[in-house]
C-alpha cells in the first residue's frame, strides 16, 4: 500500500529545488547571508526513502563554517557522519568568544594583588595562622558548585572521622 506522499516526494526530489519560504526566520536568514557573504543553501535534500532530510551544507552554513569544511567530496564522509561532526563541533564565533572571556579572566587574575585574607584563625595544634573556614568546613570559594554526594567516593566503615 502506497501513500500519496511518496510520489509527490519523488517528483520534488527529481525537480530543481523550489525557493525556500523562510517565514518568520526570513530576516535572520537574510542577515546571516549578509554576514557570511554567501547565500543560504537549500535546507533539505532527498533522503533514501524519498522524504526530505536535513542537508549538511545548510548546517555548515548555519554554523558559519567555510563551504566544504565537513561536506567536501574528497573527505568521502556519509551524510550522517557529516551531521555528527557538525553537531559535535563548535562555531568559530563561539570559540572566539570563549577564548576572549578566558583571556580577560586571566588578565584580571594577574592584576589582583596577592594579600592574605582579612579574617584568620589560629590553628590549635600549631602557631600558624590560616584562613577562617566559611560554612561547614568548605574549601570551595563562595559560589562554587559542590560535587553531588553520588559523585564523591564513599568512605568505608573502617575509617573514622576526626
Amino acid at each position: 500500500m502506497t501513500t500519496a506522499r511518496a510520489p509527490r516526494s519523488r517528483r520534488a526530489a527529481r525537480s530543481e529545488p523550489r525557493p525556500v519560504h523562510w517565514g518568520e526566520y526570513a530576516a535572520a536568514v537574510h542577515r546571516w547571508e549578509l554576514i557570511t557573504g554567501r547565500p543560504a543553501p537549500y535546507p533539505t535534500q532527498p533522503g533514501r526513502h524519498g522524504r526530505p532530510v536535513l542537508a549538511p551544507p545548510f548546517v555548515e552554513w548555519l554554523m558559519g563554517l567555510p563551504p566544504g569544511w565537513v561536506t567536501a567530496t574528497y573527505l568521502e564522509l556519509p551524510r550522517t557522519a557529516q551531521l555528527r561532526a557538525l553537531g559535535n563541533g563548535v562555531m568559530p564565533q563561539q570559540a572566539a568568544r570563549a577564548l576572549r572571556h578566558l583571556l580577560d579572566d586571566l588578565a584580571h587574575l594577574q592584576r589582583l594583588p596577592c594579600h592574605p585574607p582579612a579574617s584568620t584563625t589560629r590553628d590549635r595544634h600549631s602557631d600558624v595562622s590560616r584562613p577562617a573556614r566559611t560554612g561547614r568546613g568548605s574549601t570551595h570559594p563562595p559560589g562554587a558548585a559542590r560535587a553531588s554526594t553520588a559523585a564523591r567516593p564513599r568512605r568505608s566503615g573502617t575509617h573514622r572521622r576526626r
Side-chain angles (χ1 to χ4, degrees):
M1 180 163 147
T2 60
T3 63
R5 281 184 143 178
R8 188 173 66 216
S9 297
R10 279 191 226 115
R11 277 196 312 267
R14 279 186 249 133
S15 66
E16 196 63 31
R18 289 177 271 165
V20 179
H21 298 288
W22 299 105
E24 63 184 282
Y25 303 105
V29 169
H30 180 66
R31 188 171 46 249
W32 194 238
E33 286 175 332
L34 292 174
I35 291 170
T36 60
R38 59 188 176 121
Y42 205 72
T44 60
Q45 65 188 36
R48 287 190 290 200
H49 303 292
R51 294 189 197 111
V53 293
L54 182 62
F58 179 68
V59 177
E60 194 174 62
W61 174 81
L62 281 174
M63 291 181 73
L65 298 169
W69 186 259
V70 174
T71 59
T73 54
Y74 68 86
L75 294 174
E76 298 178 359
L77 291 174
R79 177 185 161 274
T80 54
Q82 291 174 356
L83 289 173
R84 186 177 299 120
L86 290 165
N88 289 332
V90 175
M91 293 178 60
Q93 299 85 351
Q94 182 182 16
R97 180 159 180 134
L99 285 173
R100 232 178 289 124
H101 281 292
L102 202 64
L103 291 173
D104 288 346
D105 287 350
L106 184 62
H108 179 71
L109 287 173
Q110 289 178 347
R111 284 191 303 259
L112 291 177
C114 187
H115 294 292
S119 64
T120 57
T121 58
R122 287 277 186 204
D123 188 348
R124 61 185 164 162
H125 299 292
S126 68
D127 292 332
V128 178
S129 293
R130 62 180 179 178
R133 290 188 174 192
T134 56
R136 299 187 313 171
S138 174
T139 58
H140 298 292
R146 293 183 57 150
S148 69
T149 55
R152 289 188 217 143
R154 294 183 180 262
R155 292 190 173 123
S156 66
T158 58
H159 294 285
R160 291 188 187 153
R161 258 191 153 165
R162 293 182 196 190

